[in-house]
Amino acid sequence: MLDKTQGGRKVRAAIVGSGNIGTDLMYKLSKKPDFEVVLLAGIDPASEGLARAREMGIATSTDGAEAVFEDGNIDVVFEATSAYVHRVNAPRYEEAGIFAIDLTPAKVGAPIVPTVNLAQHDDVMNVNLLSCAAQATVPIVHAVTSVVPVSYAEIVATVASKSIGPGTRDNIEEFTHTTSTALADVGGAAKGKSLIIVNPAEPSILMRNTIYCVTGPDVDIEAIRKSVEQRVADVQKDVPGYRIVLEPFIRDDHVMIGVEVEGAGDFLPTYAGNLDIINAAAVAVAQRRLVGVKA
Amino acid sequence: MTDITFVDVTLRDGNHTYKHQFTSEIVSKTAAALDAAGVDIIEVGHGDGLGGSTVHIGRSPEPAINLIKAACDSVTQARIAVLLLPGFGIFRDLEECKDVGVSVARVASHSTEADTTKQHIRKAADLGMMTVGYLISAGMADAKTLADEARKLESYGASYVNLAESQGHLVPTEVAERVRAVRNAVSIPIGFHPHNNLGLANGNILAAIDEGATYIDGSLKGFGGGAGNAQTEATIAALKRAGHNVKTDLPGILDAAQVFADLVAPQPMPVIDNDSIMMGYANVYGGYVLPVKRAAEKYGIDARALIMKLGERSVVAGQEDAVEQEAQALAAAQSKAVA
């Protein structure tokens, strides 16, 4: 715990990356009384996100992470750029003693999915939130592995084309790799594989995730349903639009489950639940690590 | 009179027809026969390409790399190609393919999402492979959009852009319009990959060539998603009749078709059945024909209603879970109506 809120002070937060994720996070964080977003940094002067920040009276920069170091007094930096950029920035944040929450699939820091392992890694200065697909599916895989061993977990995340920006598109390799390994490393399956599908349909589709857990056909499906329902309720505390669309059922040698994520519509419309699920995780980690328990 | 490079996709797209159960033996004997017939490029792998062997799409009995190596070891002149959808396959898959002798990587995305291919086109090029930008479901995008997406593929370094009309939805005038728009947008060659849901695969190929396409995809006995692909042996005959230059020889390709048919017997050729026609008409991805049939039977629902639902949702390739979800929803609505 690096309590930054003693004496009524707010946590000074910088967001690097003014794309879909960074801009949505700016809105979400601005609603939290313990945080003050002091900077949204991008690289494109024409960025919609930077324009929105200026409207809100938040300082902006087109010089990427440089503005974070220039400020000199940032408590937490949220990196919503790309895996390549975070790999370059991570050692500099560490050197400057800034707690970093990485929303790219760079996997430099410790992987966290809040409903699974929020309380772990309380000592590290760099936390990785894997991918939106991992945040949406690892809780379900973990709910299943809590009941029965899973020899292989596979997930398919289908997202609206408009909800994934250039950063994600340039990182599709890291996105796939990071999500796949998280199903095993955090979700508890013996092996994992992730697929991502981008759908340009109009009107845009809600983020939808299908989870397949290979368990063998003889499983206590009622116990799995209960475990998944409980987990969905846990996730809903932070993301109310997270819900089951395909109840767990047994098909051949595996359990199949579907969840969709309706967003709060802070930046992009509600179809972009993929932004909400990863940004809710970012807020949860920041609150745990930086906000003191109020007496 | 156009010089055509012929790409046979039996051993990749045809795997959809065969429920992704091709073995090394089927691959090696078929690849040898295609090679002997003078086919220029032979594509091999799971129906959804590298990383496609999944619970979601269908699991293969052998690791894909075994099939790919079997093809590489069986040819003397043809180049071996693989398909990679970013989000399915990863860099390591490409590296393994390079090691066993693959020299062509076709990197694919839905027709409006070309910028998801940049990393993997560049990776394949770095490995020294010929790289192809492959736009799936080209009939779901208009001509201008395809032209814009083709420009992106060219900028990433693609050797040519392949338009895959995965639904068998377009008629020749619509194919011509799209190829023309792409022709005017890029200076790299254009390829065309039709499906036969409305019986138009070869007609669409000839229309594409008239507008400048020079790489043509087909598969033996038409094996491929939906009602299948252009039937390679018939396509070769048609190309020759139309006066185009193609290295593949007719007797050799007829022999290859027989070799392949014997290897996969008793699996019949894909046919233009009612479900396939509905999918072509409703512009629904051809790879869903078997999942649709399975779900319709399992849940006791009308396949046509399911296909129309999928069309309304504008599903793209890879949304096999949507088939299951819509089938369950239709079944629930049906039992409610009965009760």
Side-chain angles (χ1 to χ4, degrees):
Chain A
M1 163 68 73
L2 320 156
D3 185 0
K4 299 289 183 183
T5 58
Q6 283 163 2
R9 181 180 175 275
K10 291 190 178 202
V11 175
R12 300 187 82 245
I15 300 169
V16 179
S18 64
N20 292 343
I21 293 175
T23 308
D24 183 75
L25 181 60
M26 172 180 76
Y27 285 104
K28 289 193 166 48
L29 220 45
S30 297
K31 291 180 193 167
K32 298 288 171 188
D34 291 316
F35 291 87
E36 182 187 6
V37 180
V38 297
L39 171 70
L40 179 67
I43 46 170
D44 175 8
S47 147
E48 167 82 14
L50 295 181
R52 302 275 193 109
R54 286 190 290 268
E55 278 169 28
M56 293 169 70
I58 292 171
T60 62
S61 162
T62 53
D63 208 10
E66 296 313 318
V68 174
F69 304 112
E70 281 160 23
D71 181 284
N73 194 24
I74 299 291
D75 298 319
V76 57
V77 60
F78 295 87
E79 179 101 53
T81 55
S82 77
Y84 304 115
V85 174
H86 184 65
R87 284 189 197 118
V88 174
N89 289 343
R92 300 186 63 200
Y93 297 140
E94 192 183 350
E95 198 181 320
I98 303 170
F99 181 50
I101 299 178
D102 174 25
L103 293 96
T104 81
K107 257 183 99 180
V108 174
I112 291 209
V113 176
T115 60
V116 178
N117 66 344
L118 179 62
Q120 290 171 21
H121 308 299
D122 269 348
D123 50 343
V124 302
M125 286 297 282
N126 189 323
V127 162
N128 180 239
L129 298 180
L130 304 159
S131 69
C132 58
Q135 293 296 338
T137 60
V138 169
I140 302 295
V141 171
H142 187 257
V144 177
T145 60
S146 305
V147 175
V148 61
V150 172
S151 60
Y152 169 76
E154 180 181 302
I155 70 98
V156 187
T158 308
V159 292
S161 178
K162 283 183 178 168
S163 73
I164 65 160
T168 306
R169 290 163 187 268
D170 283 353
N171 279 177
I172 199 145
E173 169 77 10
E174 291 80 0
F175 187 102
T176 306
H177 201 262
T178 295
T179 309
S180 296
T181 52
L183 300 172
D185 296 350
V186 186
K191 267 178 70 183
K193 178 170 175 70
S194 88
L195 307 176
I196 178 166
I197 310 282
V198 182
N199 183 314
E202 290 287 354
S204 291
I205 56 156
L206 292 179
M207 184 203 199
R208 203 210 126 83
N209 307 279
T210 297
I211 299 104
Y212 305 95
C213 290
V214 175
T215 56
D218 301 319
V219 291
D220 181 352
I221 192 70
E222 274 316 308
I224 289 173
R225 282 197 183 128
K226 273 194 191 127
S227 178
V228 168
E229 266 169 36
Q230 181 55 53
R231 186 59 59 95
V232 168
D234 290 346
V235 177
Q236 281 172 344
K237 286 174 196 159
D238 287 329
V239 186
Y242 185 83
R243 55 186 172 246
I244 296 181
V245 288
L246 215 46
E247 292 282 343
F249 70 104
I250 299 169
R251 206 178 66 159
D252 308 326
D253 63 346
H254 56 272
V255 178
M256 180 172 176
I257 303 154
V259 292
E260 70 181 15
V261 194
E262 182 176 357
D266 287 322
F267 174 47
L268 294 182
T270 54
Y271 59 75
N274 43 318
L275 307 182
D276 290 65
I277 195 91
I278 192 163
N279 282 337
V283 172
V285 171
Q287 278 189 312
R288 175 174 178 87
R289 291 293 300 274
L290 300 165
V291 177
V293 181
K294 297 290 181 290
Chain B
M1 185 77 137
T2 303
D3 291 338
I4 301 297
T5 303
F6 197 81
V7 184
D8 186 276
V9 301
T10 312
L11 296 173
R12 196 277 303 166
D13 206 338
N15 223 340
H16 280 294
T17 307
Y18 210 60
K19 301 187 179 70
H20 313 289
Q21 302 300 302
F22 282 161
T23 59
S24 293
E25 190 201 356
I26 292 173
V27 167
S28 94
K29 290 182 175 162
T30 304
L34 288 166
D35 181 63
V39 166
D40 300 283
I41 298 174
I42 300 170
E43 191 167 69
V44 186
H46 184 279
D48 278 39
L50 299 176
S53 177
T54 53
V55 174
H56 184 59
I57 311 279
R59 284 169 279 190
S60 301
E62 279 188 66
I65 195 69
N66 291 8
L67 306 191
I68 293 161
K69 183 172 188 307
C72 291
D73 292 347
S74 305
V75 296
T76 56
Q77 60 80 30
R79 308 179 72 165
I80 299 300
V82 290
L83 182 76
L84 182 143
L85 282 73
F88 281 58
I90 56 176
F91 287 174
R92 197 176 61 233
D93 297 318
L94 284 175
E95 288 160 356
E96 280 179 6
C97 287
K98 173 69 184 169
D99 288 345
V100 299
V102 171
S103 62
V104 182
R106 304 211 296 177
V107 182
S109 75
H110 182 70
S111 51
T112 56
E113 311 299 324
D115 52 5
T116 60
T117 64
K118 181 164 72 178
Q119 272 187 312
H120 296 82
I121 286 180
R122 291 190 174 156
K123 175 69 181 178
D126 286 348
L127 290 168
M129 293 165 139
M130 173 183 181
T131 62
V132 181
Y134 186 111
L135 296 175
I136 301 172
S137 301
M140 288 178 82
D142 61 22
K144 182 185 176 305
T145 305
L146 287 178
D148 291 342
E149 298 299 299
R151 261 188 221 107
K152 292 179 195 168
L153 295 171
E154 184 176 40
S155 78
Y156 306 150
S159 309
Y160 77 90
V161 52
N162 206 45
L163 303 180
E165 210 275 273
S166 320
Q167 282 77 352
H169 175 71
L170 297 182
V171 299
T173 48
E174 294 170 314
V175 170
E177 184 197 3
R178 283 167 172 78
V179 175
R180 195 181 316 131
V182 173
R183 171 76 288 144
N184 290 330
V186 299
S187 55
I188 51 176
I190 298 168
F192 182 64
H193 170 116
H195 278 260
N196 204 34
N197 294 55
L198 303 183
L200 293 169
N202 279 327
N204 282 344
I205 283 175
L206 296 175
I209 292 172
D210 285 345
E211 294 294 340
T214 52
Y215 283 78
I216 295 301
D217 288 7
S219 64
L220 296 170
K221 295 287 176 186
F223 267 51
N229 294 89
Q231 187 178 348
T232 288
E233 57 277 24
T235 305
I236 294 298
L239 290 174
K240 290 181 186 293
R241 285 256 19 259
H244 298 305
N245 294 324
V246 58
K247 191 177 75 183
T248 308
D249 77 84
L250 188 57
I253 204 70
L254 294 175
D255 290 347
Q258 194 57 51
V259 166
F260 176 68
D262 290 345
L263 286 164
V264 297
Q267 175 71 47
M269 280 181 67
V271 292
I272 306 176
D273 62 9
N274 285 351
D275 293 342
S276 300
I277 294 167
M278 279 305 291
M279 295 176 81
Y281 183 76
N283 210 0
V284 171
Y285 176 66
Y288 294 155
V289 69
L290 295 178
V292 161
K293 283 183 200 297
R294 270 201 299 271
E297 193 177 324
K298 177 175 170 189
Y299 294 107
I301 53 168
D302 177 16
R304 285 181 213 174
L306 178 55
I307 292 163
M308 292 310 284
K309 266 281 179 219
L310 294 168
E312 281 166 31
R313 266 181 73 166
S314 301
V315 289
V316 301
Q319 286 186 263
E320 269 75 354
D321 48 349
V323 178
E324 187 82 31
Q325 190 195 3
E326 290 301 338
Q328 288 193 7
L330 281 171
Q334 197 166 292
S335 69
K336 215 170 169 186
V338 171

